[in-house]
Amino acid sequence: MPLILALESSCDDTSIAIASDSGVLAHVGRSQFIHGHFGGVVPELASREHLAQLLPLTRQALKIAGILPTQIDAFAVTAGPGLPGALMVGTSFAKSLSLVFKKPLIAVHHMHAHIMAHFIDPPQPEFPLLCLTVSGGHTQLVYLKDTFDLEVIGQTLDDAAGEAFDKGARMLGLPYPGGPHIDALAKQGNPHFLHLPVAKVPGLDFSFSGLKTSLRHSLEKGTAHQPDYIETHRADLSASLQRAIVDMLIQKLRSAAQLYPCHDIALAGGVAANVGLQQAAQELCRVIGCRLHLPKPEYCTDNAAMIAQTALYYYQKGHFAAQDLVARPRWPLSAYNLQNIN
Ligand code: KG4
Ligand code: ZN
């Protein structure tokens, strides 16, 4: 039963997890709220924060799990995609641990790990699995015949769904990251208050940039007539924005389920925490007779437990990274298979 210590530092969350086949023994992390002041992630600050947090968090995780670093069987790390500096801090730290304790290193793909988060706790999905991964940096539809046998069947042509939430929230005067604020406000608002057209994109790809422009024009028009238009209608505007984003996601998920038959559908990534999206996906699955898997809230956003879970599969296959591992900030999941992981 291997013991894996995994770390995640690809964006603005620093997280450490210790896991084995029997489950997660420790999972600690820190979100970098400092970026809120700047309205988005500042890469240099993210790297510095990771550097400051990785060692204390590792010590904390080991203490919680009640184990010594010498008992760890492999060290796993997010090798990409993500912010170059943030990834470099994480991979360097993991390489040092691997060298010092003479245990193998495992390089994990962040987007693969978001999907594998569903396998941390039961009930685990069954293959073939259709997963909609929606985060601040990515929006993808992935079809998996098995753990490592996957195909990206659709993705965004411009902004990611989380980005659409965050940029829209900013226009509505909400703090960064805006997704959770939109989610909370949408519960009290009228989703039909404003009609934001959903872009017509062929196939299974997504587009969210038109939505942003459309919202901006509507807000300009609204405030021209009523200076406090945004303040007065913030909940309705949030509900309308959420509805438009969710409509696009669900439309493509429905088409994907028709083209790629499966019994299990999953939502992954930070935006999977969105209540409107969860409800719409529940309804779709009820209609088409599929089983929906929603990750636990702590496994939706970036976390090291999903890195540890994915690393367990690599360990089982005996697939380890070389000590000269280089972080891959741009690592398309579509180019991903076990042969070219390192
Ligand atoms: O997966 P994640 O933690 O980090 C990335 O890899 O990007 O996702 C972060 C994104 C942010 O854009 C955030 O606004 C969004 O997920 N998010 C949400 C919710 N919670 C987080 N968006 C909508 N509704 C939510 N409840
Ligand atoms: Zn992520």
Side-chain angles (χ1 to χ4, degrees):
M1 207 169 62
L3 264 178
I4 308 275
L5 187 146
L7 55 115
E8 158 64 36
S9 72
S10 64
C11 190
D12 58 346
D13 290 288
T14 322
S15 175
I16 303 285
I18 298 173
S20 75
D21 291 336
S22 58
V24 178
L25 304 177
H27 183 211
V28 292
R30 202 147 304 171
S31 290
Q32 304 176 353
F33 297 111
I34 188 168
H35 305 288
H37 302 296
F38 303 94
V41 179
V42 183
E44 175 66 21
L45 292 181
S47 307
R48 290 180 194 204
E49 283 289 304
H50 289 310
L51 202 53
Q53 295 301 334
L54 279 171
L55 189 57
L57 286 174
T58 302
R59 287 202 171 111
Q60 195 185 341
L62 287 164
K63 200 169 164 192
I64 292 170
I67 55 165
L68 296 168
T70 45
Q71 291 174 272
I72 299 289
D73 294 297
F75 294 95
V77 63
T78 304
L83 299 172
L87 289 170
M88 209 189 292
V89 171
T91 48
S92 302
F93 189 75
K95 282 199 262 187
S96 311
L97 290 172
S98 156
L99 269 173
V100 169
F101 296 104
K102 299 187 176 56
K103 295 291 167 57
L105 182 67
I106 298 175
V108 174
H109 192 294
H110 182 83
M111 301 310 292
H112 186 211
H114 266 304
I115 307 172
M116 291 302 124
H118 287 281
F119 294 82
I120 298 174
D121 293 321
Q124 296 182 331
E126 279 173 25
F127 297 110
L129 170 68
L130 179 61
C131 186
L132 172 65
T133 312
V134 270
S135 71
H138 295 86
T139 298
Q140 298 185 327
L141 272 165
V142 184
Y143 185 67
L144 296 98
K145 289 192 193 137
D146 208 341
T147 312
F148 290 103
D149 184 0
L150 57 86
E151 189 188 345
V152 178
I153 57 172
Q155 54 197 328
T156 185
L157 302 176
D158 38 59
D159 290 347
E163 230 177 326
F165 270 108
D166 295 341
K167 288 178 178 172
R170 193 178 180 162
M171 288 185 223
L172 299 181
L174 297 167
Y176 176 87
H181 297 282
I182 297 280
D183 195 2
L185 279 167
K187 290 180 189 125
Q188 310 142 32
N190 171 13
H192 302 284
F193 176 75
L194 190 68
H195 176 69
L196 294 168
V198 173
K200 300 246 178 305
V201 185
L204 297 175
D205 289 335
F206 306 82
S207 169
F208 295 99
S209 63
L211 207 59
K212 212 171 44 194
T213 316
S214 184
L215 178 63
R216 184 179 299 114
H217 287 155
S218 300
L219 296 180
E220 280 165 7
K221 234 162 85 183
T223 39
H225 288 100
Q226 184 189 351
D228 62 352
Y229 176 77
I230 295 176
E231 291 74 27
T232 312
H233 300 292
R234 204 174 260 133
D236 293 332
L237 292 164
S238 297
S240 303
L241 173 66
Q242 179 165 300
R243 176 178 166 239
I245 297 172
V246 169
D247 277 359
M248 157 125 296
L249 294 172
I250 293 295
Q251 221 179 68
K252 297 299 178 152
L253 185 58
R254 185 185 298 113
S255 306
Q258 280 162 359
L259 292 166
Y260 293 83
C262 57
H263 285 113
D264 287 51
I265 289 181
L267 299 183
V271 181
N274 184 268
V275 175
L277 175 61
Q278 292 189 354
Q279 285 170 347
Q282 290 282 13
E283 178 55 16
L284 171 68
C285 287
R286 190 188 62 76
V287 171
I288 63 176
C290 283
R291 197 160 65 134
L292 180 67
H293 299 266
L294 300 171
K296 277 188 180 171
E298 65 264 39
Y299 301 146
C300 277
T301 45
D302 291 347
N303 66 89
M306 68 185 193
I307 306 301
Q309 180 64 31
T310 315
L312 281 164
Y313 299 125
Y314 284 81
Y315 193 93
Q316 282 160 11
K317 287 197 174 284
H319 199 94
F320 302 114
Q323 266 302 327
D324 61 356
L325 167 76
V326 179
R328 296 176 68 177
R330 291 178 184 276
W331 187 6
L333 189 62
S334 49
Y336 177 77
N337 61 54
L338 258 190
Q339 277 68 49
N340 68 7
I341 278 167
N342 298 314

